[in-house]
Every structure is written in structure tokens, then in C-alpha cells.
Amino acid sequence: MSHICIKRYAALAAMLLFATQAISSEQVLLESDQVVITDQDFEVDLMYIPSENRPEVLASKSRIAKLLESLLINKTLAAQARKAQIDREPVMAKQIELAADKLLAQEHIKRMINAVTLPNLDVRAREFYEIDIGKYTLPAKVHASHILVDFKARTPEEALQRIRQVREQALGGKKFEDLALEYSDDQSAKSNKGDLGFFEEGKMVKPFSDVAFAMNSPGDISEPVKTNFGFHIIQFHEKLPMQVLHLKR
């Protein structure tokens, strides 16, 4: 670019870094025998770079020079195209017109969006919250394990006797998960070792759920609980209390 004259190059970065107001009167930054590059050209070209990256670009002399050189090449080629009247060819003229229309439409949309004043919905949101607070409530949950002895191959009396024997082993110190693997008739015990995870009140059959939610001490083992599936013993692990989600103020 030895034939190009660069003017006020040292002050360019500082000037444009703080140029947040409307574009001021043009100053020539770079020129050739065919075109002139002004500070307005550079500032508009800079808009195509994400705003968060612009300070980094303006802090680099080499990157500013590259942008200016790119502007010069594009303007020179465009000037040559106009001299050859390419811009007056019907198809090209229509493409230029459509490109301008698209740019104007995008800018118009952006300005309309910026002009819209959104209503304050805080009061209305709080009204909905207070009217139907149940939607914003997390129910209490219990984490428990169980062992099931069913009635399929035994009488209720036999099932009760068996579950009591299993409970005695658990109270005697044998690991509950080991007992679940050995004795539980719940097929899922083969994979979860009797651990049911967290569940809400009412998600299990009522007798089971009632006992589980009445327990409080981690490690406690319930008395046998009869349901339609058979007899269970329940080991309590943890309880999460009901939580009401509060709106941020």
C-alpha cells in the first residue's frame, strides 16, 4: 500500500473506541487515486463486528490496517464496476435495490423493537401467583427402601411370618439392600436393591405411603405393612419438606 496515503492513523483507534454518538463530520483516513476511505466508512464497517469484540480490534494496529485495506479494495472494485456501468444492468440494479430494501427493513424492525415499551408485569404475575399458589409448591417427598413378600406362592399368614423374620435380620444389623436382593418379591429389587428413591405422598398405595411419610429417623425400619401386593417393611432414609417457590422481589 505504498501509493496510499494514511492520515491521522495513530489517533484512529482512540477516536473510534469512544464513538458512541451519531457519526460526526467525515475525516479522510486513507485514499488512493480512485477512492477515499473516511472515518464514517470505517465506523460503519466496524458495525459488522460484534460489539464485544470491537475494543480488541481497535486495540490492534494490524487489525485496523487490515480492515482499512479491505475497505479500500472493496471500494476500488465497486468504483471500477460503476465506471463499467455494471450497476446499471437490469439484474444487478434489481439486486442492489433488494439488498437496500432488506437493510432498510432490518433497521426499521430494530428501531420499532427499541421503541416498544414493555408493561410492568410484576403486579399481574404476583396476582396469578397468589390466586393459584399450589402451582408454585413443591410437595414433600420421602426417600425409602422396601422389601416385599407377596401372597402369590404363600398364604397371608406365611407371608407375614416371613417378612417378620426378614425384619428381625435387618434389626440385627444385616444390610437392608442385601436382604432385599435375597428376599424381596419385587422384581425391581434385582436392580435397585429395594431403593425406591424419592416419591411424593400418594404416589405409592395408601397404606405404604402413610407409613413412609410418618417415619422420621434415617435408618428406621417399619413394622410390616400390608397392601394389595403383600407385606412390606420400609427403611426410611430422608424426607424433603414441602417447599413454596417465592417470586423474586
Side-chain angles (χ1 to χ4, degrees):
M1 300 200 312
S2 58
H3 65 291
I4 298 170
C5 175
I6 301 179
K7 301 181 179 180
R8 292 176 295 281
Y9 185 88
L12 176 63
M15 177 184 70
L16 290 173
L17 183 58
F18 299 102
T20 57
Q21 305 301 321
I23 297 176
S24 60
S25 58
E26 293 187 84
Q27 299 180 50
V28 176
L29 302 176
L30 183 152
E31 61 185 6
S32 70
D33 54 353
Q34 297 185 62
V35 296
V36 172
I37 305 297
T38 68
D39 57 339
Q40 289 187 14
D41 294 322
F42 186 89
E43 190 169 348
V44 170
D45 195 49
L46 199 62
M47 291 179 182
Y48 291 99
I49 296 174
S51 58
E52 63 271 18
N53 296 333
R54 290 172 199 167
E56 181 183 351
V57 172
L58 293 172
S60 170
K61 186 174 180 179
S62 63
R63 295 182 71 172
I64 292 174
K66 188 173 292 185
L67 286 176
L68 288 171
E69 184 177 11
S70 177
L71 268 172
L72 179 69
I73 292 171
N74 287 338
K75 278 211 162 198
T76 299
L77 292 173
Q80 293 171 357
R82 291 189 184 92
K83 187 175 181 180
Q85 298 189 346
I86 295 175
D87 58 325
R88 299 186 182 182
E89 294 175 1
V91 174
M92 179 55 65
K94 181 57 66 176
Q95 287 180 315
I96 294 172
E97 179 186 342
L98 292 176
D101 287 346
K102 183 177 181 180
L103 181 61
L104 286 170
Q106 290 173 341
E107 180 63 21
H108 186 50
I109 291 171
K110 183 174 73 174
R111 295 187 184 191
M112 287 194 299
I113 292 173
N114 290 338
V116 172
T117 302
L118 294 177
N120 187 338
L121 299 177
D122 289 349
V123 174
R124 190 60 175 156
R126 188 162 296 281
E127 289 176 356
F128 280 120
Y129 171 79
E130 292 174 353
I131 289 171
D132 197 0
I133 197 170
K135 288 184 178 179
Y136 309 96
T137 301
L138 298 178
K141 294 182 180 181
V142 160
H143 178 199
S145 297
H146 85 128
I147 296 172
L148 167 68
V149 175
D150 63 29
F151 306 143
K152 293 178 181 178
R154 55 185 70 88
T155 66
E157 291 75 16
E158 291 171 338
L160 178 58
Q161 182 180 1
R162 183 177 175 85
I163 199 68
R164 283 174 173 167
Q165 292 172 348
V166 175
R167 183 173 184 271
E168 287 300 318
Q169 292 185 60
L171 294 175
K174 191 165 183 178
K175 289 184 177 181
F176 198 88
E177 54 266 33
D178 292 340
L179 291 170
L181 282 172
E182 183 176 355
Y183 294 105
S184 185
D185 291 323
D186 184 345
Q187 293 302 308
S188 67
K190 296 177 181 178
S191 57
N192 62 21
K193 298 180 181 180
D195 193 334
L196 300 171
F198 282 96
F199 54 89
E200 300 171 11
E201 194 168 6
K203 291 296 184 181
M204 302 294 180
V205 290
K206 190 175 187 309
F208 188 101
S209 181
D210 289 347
V211 171
F213 274 84
M215 300 174 73
N216 292 295
S217 299
D220 274 3
I221 298 171
S222 72
E223 293 286 344
V225 181
K226 185 178 181 181
T227 71
N228 292 334
F229 300 100
F231 283 101
H232 312 251
I233 54 172
I234 303 169
Q235 185 180 53
F236 177 84
H237 299 301
E238 183 181 1
K239 183 183 292 183
L240 298 178
M242 180 184 70
Q243 295 181 359
V244 178
L245 303 179
H246 297 285
L247 292 178
K248 292 183 178 180
R249 296 187 180 274

